[in-house]
C-alpha cells in the first residue's frame, strides 16, 4: 500500500500529459506480446522417417503453395496446342489447281488453232502441209503461261513428264481429271490439316483418285497434282496457346491445408511430404510468418484507434478523465489477455473444454462499475474478437466460433444483469444470475454444434460456464479496490468507505469545525433527496456534501456556523481580506482532498459547489466604502458546476444556510428562500455548463421545500411542569 500511494502521488504530480501516452504504448506492446505468445503454433519434436508419437492436426487453414504450383503446372501442360483454321488456304489451293488445268486447256486449244491456220494457209498456197505443234512446243508454251504462284506451289512437285501427260489428254479427259482432283482437294482441305496429319490426308485423297473413273494412265498425274496441292490449313498460335494455359492455371483451386485437418496419424511414418507440411505450418520451429505478426499489430492498432475515437467522443469527460478512462480500459484488457493465456495453458495440459471456464463477464463487470455501460459494451467486443484469434489453434473452427460466441453472450449478459453495484451482495447475486445464463448459453451452443446430450463432455463445459460466471464477479470484487487506488477511480464501495464517520478527514471537520460538520450533514440530507428525485447519483452527492467545506477547517472561526459567543473575526478585517478568506475555502478544500488522493468527483464538488457566485455580504460592504468596486473582484473563481449533482449541492448549500439563519422558518418563508436562491442562480447563469434541465430544477425546488418543511415543521407547545407537566 505504501508503494501504491507513492506511485499514485507521482502519477498525479508528474505531467500526465506525457505519462498517459507512454503507458498506453507499453500496454500496446504487452498486449501484442501476449497475443503472439498465445496464437503461435505448438512445436513438435519430430524427425524424418520416424514414427509419429501423437496425431497432429493443422492449427490453422493455410494454402499449400507448392502443391498449388504443381497443380497449376499440370493444368497448363494438359492444355493442347491451339491451331487456327484458315479457310482461305483451301480456296487458294483449289484456285491454283484450276489455273493449271485451265492453262493446259488453253495451250492445247491455242496449238490446235495454230495448226488449223497453218494447214489452211498451206492448202491455199498449195504448199506441203506443215508439221503439227509438237509436245515440246506445247510444254514450253505452257510453262510460259503458268503464273508464278502456280510454278512455286505446284510445279515443284509436278515434273515435265506429268505436264506432257496433261497436254496429251483430250478435252473430255482433262475435264474429268480436273473434276476429280478439285473434288478430292475440296474434301481434303475442308478438314483439319496439320503437319502431323498431312500425310494421312494425302493418302486418303490419293485413294479417292484411285477409286475414281478416270483412265488408269491419268491417275498417276492426278495423284501427284493432288498430293502437292494439299498443304496445312491450320497453323499453331503461340499467343492463344499461352493464354489458354494461363487461364487453365488460374482456374486451379488453391490447395489448402484446412484447420483441424490431420497431418499425421499416431503411429504413421513421417515421410518427406508430411514433414514438408509440418514445416509449412510452422509446427517444427514454433514461428509465425512476418505477415501474421504484422496482422496482429494492425489488429491491436485498430482496436486502439477505436478506443481513442470512442473516448474522445465522450463530451462529458475532460482530457484528464479521458486519459484515465483509456488507462483503466487498457489495464482491464491486459488482465483479460492474461486470463486467456492461463486458459490456453490449461488447454495445453489436455483439460477438455476448459475454455468455457474463462471469466468472460469479468471485463464488462469491472468496466461498467469503474467507467460506464458504453465502455463495458466495448470491452465485450474487444474480448470476443481477441478470443476468436486466441482459440484459432483448436482442433476445429467450430470450437473457435463456439467459445468466442459464448464469451460475447456472457459479457453482454453481465452488462444487462448488473444494475445495483452499491452493495457487494447485489454484485454477487448478479454473478450468480450470470452463471446461470452462462449455463444456458453453453447448453444452446453445444446443441447447435450437435454434441451428444447424454455424455460427460456435454455437461462438463456447462458446469465450467457456471463457475466462470460467478468467478468473474468474485474476482471483480477483489480487484476493484486495486483500480480505485491506482487510478483514483470512484466506485460505490469507495463512496461507502468515504462516508464512514470514522474517516480521518470527517473527524477532522467534526473536531475543528463542528458547525461546518453539522451544516455538511444537513446539506447532504437535502441534496441527497434532490438527487434521488431526479435520478442522479445520490450517494456521490451525499459523500460530496460531507467534504465540500473541508477547506473551512483551515480557518474555522471565520465562518459563521463555527463562531461562538457572537465573536466575529471579520469585524477586524477589511472586506477584501474577508473575501479572500471566504473564497479560499473552495480551493483550499480541493487541495486538501487532492493531497489525500480523493477521487476527482469529490474534489470537483469542493471546488465547484459555489461556482462563480458573488460573495454578496462583503461585496456590498466594500461598495459602501468604495463605489468603484466591481462584482468580478468578489466572485468565487469557479469553475461553474459541470454536473447536475454539483448543481444540486450548489443550491442546497445556499438554501440550508439561508433557512438556518431565518427566524421561525414557516412554509411560506422556506418557499420564498428556495425560489429566491434558484432564481438568483438561474439569472447568474451558474448552470450553463452542466446538463441539468428546467424540469429537474423544478423537481429540486419542490423537493427542497418538502424536505425543509419536514425538518422545520411547527411543533406543539407543551405546558411546563408548573402548568401540569407534559402530556
Amino acid at each position: 500500500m505504501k508503494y501504491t500511494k507513492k506511485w499514485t502521488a507521482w502519477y498525479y504530480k508528474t505531467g500526465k500529459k506525457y505519462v498517459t501516452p507512454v503507458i498506453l504504448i507499453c500496454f500496446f506492446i504487452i498486449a501484442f506480446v501476449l497475443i503472439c505468445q498465445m496464437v503461435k503454433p505448438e512445436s513438435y519434436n519430430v524427425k524424418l522417417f520416424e514414427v509419429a508419437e501423437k496425431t497432429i492436426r493443422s492449427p490453422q487453414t493455410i494454402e499449400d503453395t507448392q502443391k498449388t504450383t504443381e497443380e497449376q503446372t499440370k493444368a497448363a501442360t494438359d492444355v493442347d496446342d491451339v491451331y487456327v483454321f484458315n479457310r482461305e488456304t483451301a480456296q487458294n489451293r483449289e484456285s491454283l489447281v484450276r489455273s493449271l488445268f485451265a492453262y493446259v486447256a488453253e495451250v492445247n486449244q491455242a496449238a490446235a488453232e495454230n495448226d488449223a491456220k497453218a494447214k489452211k494457209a498451206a492448202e491455199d498456197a498449195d504448199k506441203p502441209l506443215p508439221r503439227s505443234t509438237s509436245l515440246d512446243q506445247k510444254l514450253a508454251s505452257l510453262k510460259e503461261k503458268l503464273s508464278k504462284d502456280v510454278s512455286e506451289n505446284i510445279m515443284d512437285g509436278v515434273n515435265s513428264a506429268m505436264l506432257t501427260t496433261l497436254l496429251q489428254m483430250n478435252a473430255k479427259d482433262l475435264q474429268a481429271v480436273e473434276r476429280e482432283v478439285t473434288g478430292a482437294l475440296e474434301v481434303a482441305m475442308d478438314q483439319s490439316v496439320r503437319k502431323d496429319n498431312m500425310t494421312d490426308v494425302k493418302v486418303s485423297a490419293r485413294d479417292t483418285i484411285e477409286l475414281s473413273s478416270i483412265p488408269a494412265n491419268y491417275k498417276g498425274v492426278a495423284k501427284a497434282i493432288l498430293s502437292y496441292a494439299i498443304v496445312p490449313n491450320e497453323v499453331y498460335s503461340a499467343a492463344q496457346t499461352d493464354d489458354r494455359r494461363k487461364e487453365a492455371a488460374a482456374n486451379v483451386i488453391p490447395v489448402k491445408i484446412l484447420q483441424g485437418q490431420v497431418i499425421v496419424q499416431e503411429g504413421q511414418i513421417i515421410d518427406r511430404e508430411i514433414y514438408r507440411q509440418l514445416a509449412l505450418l510452422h509446427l517444427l520451429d514454433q514461428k509465425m510468418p512476418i505477415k501474421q505478426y504484422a496482422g496482429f499489430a494492425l489488429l491491436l492498432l485498430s482496436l486502439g484507434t477505436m478506443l481513442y475515437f470512442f473516448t474522445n467522443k465522450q463530451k462529458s469527460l475532460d482530457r484528464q478523465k479521458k486519459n484515465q478512462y483509456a488507462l483503466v480500459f487498457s489495464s482491464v484488457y491486459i488482465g483479460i489477455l492474461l486470463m486467456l493465456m492461463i486458459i490456453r495453458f490449461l488447454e495445453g495440459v489436455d483439460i477438455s473444454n476448459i475454455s468455457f471456464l474463462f471469466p468472460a463477464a469479468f471485463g464488462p463487470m469491472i468496466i461498467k462499475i469503474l467507467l460506464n455501460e458504453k465502455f463495458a459494451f466495448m470491452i465485450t467486443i474487444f474480448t470476443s474478437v481477441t478470443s476468436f484469434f486466441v482459440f484459432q489453434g483448436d482442433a476445429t473452427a467450430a470450437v473457435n466460433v463456439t467459445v468466442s460466441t459464448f464469451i460475447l453472450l456472457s459479457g453482454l449478459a453481465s452488462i444487462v444483469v448488473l444494475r445495483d453495484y452499491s452493495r457487494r451482495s447485489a454484485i454477487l447475486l448478479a454473478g450468480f444470475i450470470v452463471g446461470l445464463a452462462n449455463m444456458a448459453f453453453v447448453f444452446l451452443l453445444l446443441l447447435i454444434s450437435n454434441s451428444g446430450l447424454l455424455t460427460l463432455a456435454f455437461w462438463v463445459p456447462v458446469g465450467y460456464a457456471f463457475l466462470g460466471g460467478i468467478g468473474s464477479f468474485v474476482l471483480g470484487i477483489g480487484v476493484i479496490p486495486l483500480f480505485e487506488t491506482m487510478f483514483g477511480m470512484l466506485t460505490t464501495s469507495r463512496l461507502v468507505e468515504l462516508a464512514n464517520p470514522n474517516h480521518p478527514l470527517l473527524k477532522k471537520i467534526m473536531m475543528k469545525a463542528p458547525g461546518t460538520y453539522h451544516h455538511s450533514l444537513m446539506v447532504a440530507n437535502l441534496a441527497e433527496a434532490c438527487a434521488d428525485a431526479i435520478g442522479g447519483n445520490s450517494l456521490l452527492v451525499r459523500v460530496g456534501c460531507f467534504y465540500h467545506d473541508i477547506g473551512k477547517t483551515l480557518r474555522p472561526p471565520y465562518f459563521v456556523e463555527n463562531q461562538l459567543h457572537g465573536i466575529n473575526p471579520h469585524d477586524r478585517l477589511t472586506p477584501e481580506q474577508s473575501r479572500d478568506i471566504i473564497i479560499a475555502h473552495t480551493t483550499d478544500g480541493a487541495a486538501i482532498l487532492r493531497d489525500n488522493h480523493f477521487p476527482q468527483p469529490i474534489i470537483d464538488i469542493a471546488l465547484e459547489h459555489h461556482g462563480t457566485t458573488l460573495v454578496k455580504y462583503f461585496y456590498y460592504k466594500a461598495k459602501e466604502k468604495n463605489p468603484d468596486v466591481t462584482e468580478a473582484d468578489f466572485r468565487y473563481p469557479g469553475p461553474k458546476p459541470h454536473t447536475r449533482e454539483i448543481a444540486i449541492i450548489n443550491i442546497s448549500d445556499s438554501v440550508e444556510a439561508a433557512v438556518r439563519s431565518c427566524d421561525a422558518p414557516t412554509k411560506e418563508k422556506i418557499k420564498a428562500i428556495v425560489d429566491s436562491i434558484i432564481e438568483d442562480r438561474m439569472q447568474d447563469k451558474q448552470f450553463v455548463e452542466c446538463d441539468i434541465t428546467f424540469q429537474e430544477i423544478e423537481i429540486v425546488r419542490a423537493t427542497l421545500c418538502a424536505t425543509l418543511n419536514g425538518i422545520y415543521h411547527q411543533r406543539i407547545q407543551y405546558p411546563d411542569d408548573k402548568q401540569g407537566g407534559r402530556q
Side-chain angles (χ1 to χ4, degrees):
M1 184 64 69
K2 176 182 177 182
Y3 295 105
T4 302
K5 289 184 176 180
K6 286 184 177 181
W7 187 92
T8 306
W10 170 81
Y11 173 75
Y12 279 104
K13 291 180 180 179
T14 307
K16 288 181 282 185
K17 177 180 178 182
Y18 304 103
V19 173
T20 300
V22 172
I23 296 177
L24 288 176
I25 292 173
C26 293
F27 281 158
F28 175 86
I29 295 173
I30 294 171
F32 177 74
V33 172
L34 290 176
I35 290 179
C36 291
Q37 183 67 26
M38 285 185 282
V39 301
K40 69 180 181 180
E42 183 181 358
S43 179
Y44 296 93
N45 185 22
V46 298
K47 295 181 180 180
L48 270 173
F49 307 118
E50 288 188 353
V51 176
E53 297 180 356
K54 60 184 298 187
T55 298
I56 301 176
R57 297 176 179 270
S58 172
Q60 58 183 317
T61 297
I62 189 173
E63 181 182 349
D64 190 337
T65 53
Q66 180 175 325
K67 282 290 185 182
T68 300
T69 302
E70 291 176 359
E71 291 296 324
Q72 289 174 341
T73 303
K74 183 177 181 300
T77 304
D78 291 342
V79 174
D80 294 331
D81 293 339
V82 177
Y83 287 85
V84 179
F85 182 78
N86 190 349
R87 189 168 296 278
E88 292 182 357
T89 301
Q91 296 173 352
N92 291 337
R93 304 305 291 182
E94 187 176 343
S95 297
L96 290 174
V97 171
R98 291 186 183 279
S99 297
L100 173 62
F101 283 98
Y103 287 138
V104 171
E106 186 179 327
V107 168
N108 283 335
Q109 184 177 358
E113 290 177 353
N114 289 334
D115 288 344
K117 289 180 181 179
K119 182 178 180 182
K120 183 177 180 184
E123 289 178 350
D124 291 342
D126 198 17
K127 293 182 179 180
L129 295 174
R131 297 179 58 186
S132 299
T133 304
S134 65
L135 286 174
D136 292 336
Q137 290 175 327
K138 291 182 181 180
L139 182 59
S141 177
L142 177 60
K143 288 182 178 181
E144 289 178 1
K145 287 181 175 290
L146 291 176
S147 65
K148 183 178 181 181
D149 287 340
V150 176
S151 299
E152 290 179 352
N153 293 283
I154 299 295
M155 291 299 294
D156 288 344
V158 180
N159 53 34
S160 298
M162 295 181 182
L163 292 177
T164 302
T165 303
L166 292 176
L167 291 171
Q168 290 178 340
M169 295 181 187
N170 55 42
K172 182 179 179 181
D173 290 338
L174 187 63
Q175 290 177 357
V177 171
E178 179 184 2
R179 184 170 55 252
E180 292 295 336
V181 171
T182 55
L185 179 61
E186 183 179 356
V187 172
M189 295 298 289
D190 195 44
Q191 57 186 311
S192 173
V193 182
R194 304 176 187 172
K195 289 184 178 180
D196 55 355
N197 71 336
M198 190 168 62
T199 301
D200 295 336
V201 174
K202 288 182 177 182
V203 170
S204 177
R206 287 198 294 265
D207 289 343
T208 301
I209 297 297
E210 186 65 34
L211 296 174
S212 66
S213 59
I214 61 175
N217 55 332
Y218 296 149
K219 289 182 179 179
V221 66
K223 292 178 183 179
I225 295 172
L226 180 60
S227 180
Y228 288 99
I230 296 175
V231 295
N233 57 8
E234 287 189 354
V235 294
Y236 172 72
S237 176
Q240 292 190 30
T241 301
D242 187 57
D243 290 343
R244 290 193 182 182
R245 287 176 178 169
K246 288 181 179 179
E247 182 181 358
N251 289 334
V252 171
I253 299 175
V255 179
K256 293 184 178 181
I257 301 175
L258 302 178
Q259 183 180 17
Q261 177 180 328
V262 175
I263 306 301
V264 58
Q265 291 278 9
E266 180 181 356
Q268 184 180 353
I269 298 295
I270 300 174
D271 57 19
R272 294 188 183 277
E273 177 60 20
I274 293 175
Y275 194 83
R276 184 190 66 80
Q277 291 181 349
L278 293 174
L280 179 65
L281 292 165
H282 297 282
L283 296 177
L284 302 178
D285 53 12
Q286 206 174 16
K287 292 181 180 178
M288 289 194 305
I290 297 297
K291 62 182 181 181
Q292 277 191 278
Y293 284 108
F296 285 115
L298 291 175
L299 171 65
L300 286 173
L301 185 61
S302 300
L303 296 179
T305 303
M306 289 172 58
L307 175 62
Y308 173 79
F309 284 108
F310 183 79
T311 305
N312 281 340
K313 197 175 180 181
Q314 309 304 310
K315 296 181 180 179
S316 61
L317 304 178
D318 56 22
R319 173 52 55 188
Q320 178 181 339
K321 204 72 173 177
K322 290 176 181 178
N323 290 339
Q324 184 186 51
Y325 274 38
L327 289 175
V328 172
F329 190 96
S330 301
S331 301
V332 173
Y333 183 64
I334 294 296
I336 290 171
L337 292 180
L338 290 173
M339 288 187 283
L340 281 172
M341 178 171 281
I342 294 173
I343 294 297
R344 291 296 291 167
F345 172 77
L346 294 176
E347 283 185 335
V349 295
D350 293 333
I351 300 180
S352 179
N353 293 315
I354 194 65
S355 54
F356 292 103
L357 185 62
F358 175 71
F362 170 79
M365 171 256 189
I366 289 286
I367 293 298
K368 183 173 182 179
I369 293 176
L370 295 180
L371 307 184
N372 58 45
E373 194 171 87
K374 294 179 181 178
F375 283 92
F377 278 110
M378 178 163 279
I379 197 69
T380 302
I381 296 172
F382 278 32
T383 305
S384 59
V385 169
T386 305
S387 68
F388 185 84
F389 294 99
V390 168
F391 292 105
Q392 68 179 346
D394 289 325
T396 63
V399 174
N400 182 6
V401 174
T402 300
V403 174
S404 298
T405 305
F406 161 72
I407 290 174
L408 176 62
L409 294 175
S410 180
L412 295 176
S414 67
I415 298 173
V416 174
V417 171
L418 182 62
R419 294 186 177 275
D420 178 15
Y421 36 89
S422 60
R423 295 173 292 112
R424 291 186 179 181
S425 58
I427 297 177
L428 290 175
L429 177 61
F432 180 79
I433 296 174
V434 170
L436 295 177
N438 284 356
M439 294 177 66
F441 295 147
V442 175
F443 183 85
L444 293 175
L445 290 171
L446 293 180
L447 284 181
I448 292 172
S449 61
N450 199 26
S451 299
L453 186 60
L454 300 178
T455 62
L456 184 63
F458 184 94
W459 292 103
V460 166
V462 174
Y464 282 154
F466 178 75
L467 294 176
I470 295 181
S472 297
F473 284 75
V474 173
L475 183 61
I477 291 174
V479 301
I480 282 177
L482 176 63
F483 283 95
E484 292 173 346
T485 306
M486 289 282 291
F487 300 103
M489 300 299 297
L490 182 60
T491 61
T492 302
S493 59
R494 176 70 167 149
L495 287 172
V496 171
E497 177 187 341
L498 295 176
N500 189 336
N502 291 318
H503 192 282
L505 287 189
L506 286 181
K507 293 176 72 174
K508 179 181 179 180
I509 300 173
M510 185 170 57
M511 296 300 294
K512 287 191 173 184
T516 297
Y517 181 78
H518 180 264
H519 162 72
S520 298
L521 294 181
M522 295 298 293
V523 174
N525 291 332
L526 294 175
E528 183 181 26
C530 295
D532 277 331
I534 67 171
N537 190 336
S538 58
L539 183 57
L540 171 61
V541 167
R542 183 171 188 81
V543 176
C545 288
F546 288 167
Y547 296 93
H548 79 289
D549 278 341
I550 184 70
K552 292 181 179 181
T553 58
L554 298 180
R555 305 175 188 87
Y558 288 90
F559 298 91
V560 64
E561 67 267 22
N562 299 314
Q563 294 172 0
L564 301 176
H565 310 297
I567 300 174
N568 189 347
H570 291 287
D571 294 339
R572 303 188 301 271
L573 303 177
T574 65
E576 287 77 14
Q577 290 174 325
S578 297
R579 171 204 63 191
D580 293 340
I581 293 174
I582 297 299
I583 288 177
H585 88 274
T586 59
T587 53
D588 290 342
I592 292 172
L593 295 176
R594 195 175 290 113
D595 290 340
N596 285 270
H597 312 302
F598 265 59
Q600 189 61 40
I602 305 296
I603 298 173
D604 292 339
I605 289 172
L607 190 62
E608 301 174 13
H609 73 276
H610 280 295
T612 59
T613 55
L614 180 66
V615 185
K616 291 184 178 181
Y617 179 81
F618 293 108
Y619 167 68
Y620 290 121
K621 192 174 180 180
K623 202 168 184 63
E624 291 175 358
K625 297 180 180 180
N626 180 12
D628 295 330
V629 172
T630 61
E631 284 190 7
D633 294 334
F634 282 80
R635 284 187 176 274
Y636 282 92
K640 295 178 180 180
H642 73 277
T643 67
R644 57 181 183 167
E645 284 80 9
I646 301 179
I648 291 172
I649 296 173
N650 177 289
I651 298 172
S652 302
D653 184 39
S654 298
V655 166
E656 195 281 331
V659 173
R660 178 166 38 85
S661 63
C662 178
D663 294 331
T666 63
K667 185 179 296 185
E668 291 73 18
K669 287 183 179 180
I670 289 174
K671 184 177 186 305
I673 291 172
V674 172
D675 290 344
S676 174
I677 290 175
I678 290 178
E679 293 304 320
D680 179 68
R681 295 293 189 272
M682 296 289 288
Q683 291 178 7
D684 204 20
K685 298 182 178 179
Q686 290 298 310
F687 305 143
V688 295
E689 296 181 8
C690 64
D691 56 353
I692 194 168
T693 65
F694 287 112
Q695 182 182 15
E696 290 172 340
I697 290 176
E698 291 304 314
I699 295 174
V700 169
R701 187 196 307 267
T703 305
L704 285 173
C705 291
T707 306
L708 287 168
N709 287 329
I711 295 174
Y712 295 101
H713 67 277
Q714 292 183 346
R715 293 176 173 82
I716 299 174
Q717 186 68 35
Y718 292 102
D720 57 22
D721 292 338
K722 293 179 180 180
Q723 296 174 328
R726 294 183 179 179
Q727 300 296 321

